[in-house]
Amino acid sequence: MSNDNTNIFGQSVGGGTAASQAPFGQAPQAPFGAATMSSGSQLPDGTEPAAFLRIARQRFNHIQSMNTASNIAEIQRYLTPDLYQSMYNDIMANQDQDVAEFSNLNAMVVDSATENGQYVVSVRFTGTVSEDLNSLPQPFAEVWHFVKPAGSSQDWLVAGIQQES
């Protein structure tokens, strides 16, 4: 049994002299299961990016699947009032029930900050989309900006959507 307090990657676990073992420019690793703010790996509210991205993908798929006029009240639950107002006419114009299908959906946190008393996390979604049953999948890329009041336990809302060309 070894007592060198390192994992299979040579990273310090459970104490020891982690600072001297950390590669130059990187913060020492915290013991497994411990919370750490090293390297800006957590989002402004303390959420781990992987957990946030799981929720972001679910929201993306849910909002996209509900993107018809008959579901306007459901969509409103996930958008800030400003974004809802700016998207209202587009959503109401979508009368057909044939919603876009997104495949190979990827999500990546591209920015996170605390601005004007709210947490902001920007997620870049990429993949392919079929706009209707008869169309071939086309590549797409969008950045969705999620916000919530700093220090609150409120749900994240979508505050903006940017199409990338």
Side-chain angles (χ1 to χ4, degrees):
M1 181 167 154
S2 173
N3 63 358
D4 65 356
N5 293 334
T6 60
N7 63 16
I8 62 171
F9 303 108
Q11 298 165 319
S12 176
V13 292
T17 56
S20 64
Q21 295 171 355
F24 180 75
Q26 292 185 357
Q29 294 293 318
F32 179 77
T36 178
M37 290 299 288
S38 66
S39 330
S41 62
Q42 290 184 326
L43 300 179
D45 70 337
T47 303
E48 291 295 326
F52 182 84
L53 288 172
R54 190 171 26 254
I55 294 166
R57 275 191 290 275
Q58 290 169 348
R59 291 275 165 89
F60 179 94
N61 284 319
H62 185 66
I63 291 168
Q64 295 291 356
S65 72
M66 303 299 284
N67 193 15
T68 61
S70 61
N71 295 317
I72 192 77
E74 177 68 8
I75 294 170
Q76 185 177 12
R77 293 180 46 207
Y78 299 101
L79 308 179
T80 61
D82 288 345
L83 183 60
Y84 175 75
Q85 287 302 320
S86 70
M87 292 179 63
Y88 180 83
N89 290 335
D90 289 339
I91 296 168
M92 292 308 288
N94 191 9
Q95 293 295 327
D96 65 22
Q97 298 300 309
D98 191 14
V99 296
E101 180 178 324
F102 293 84
S103 54
N104 305 315
L105 182 64
N106 299 300
M108 179 178 74
V109 173
V110 292
D111 194 25
S112 64
T114 302
E115 297 175 1
N116 301 320
Q118 64 182 4
Y119 300 134
V120 181
V121 178
S122 300
V123 176
R124 184 172 190 260
F125 291 101
T126 59
T128 56
V129 59
S130 298
E131 294 291 342
D132 58 51
L133 292 174
N134 299 316
S135 67
L136 293 172
Q138 299 295 318
F140 84 96
E142 294 179 349
V143 176
W144 287 32
H145 304 284
F146 293 85
V147 298
K148 78 174 185 176
S152 82
S153 59
Q154 292 181 19
D155 284 341
W156 290 91
L157 298 176
V158 181
I161 299 174
Q162 290 176 283
Q163 306 279 327
E164 293 186 345
S165 48

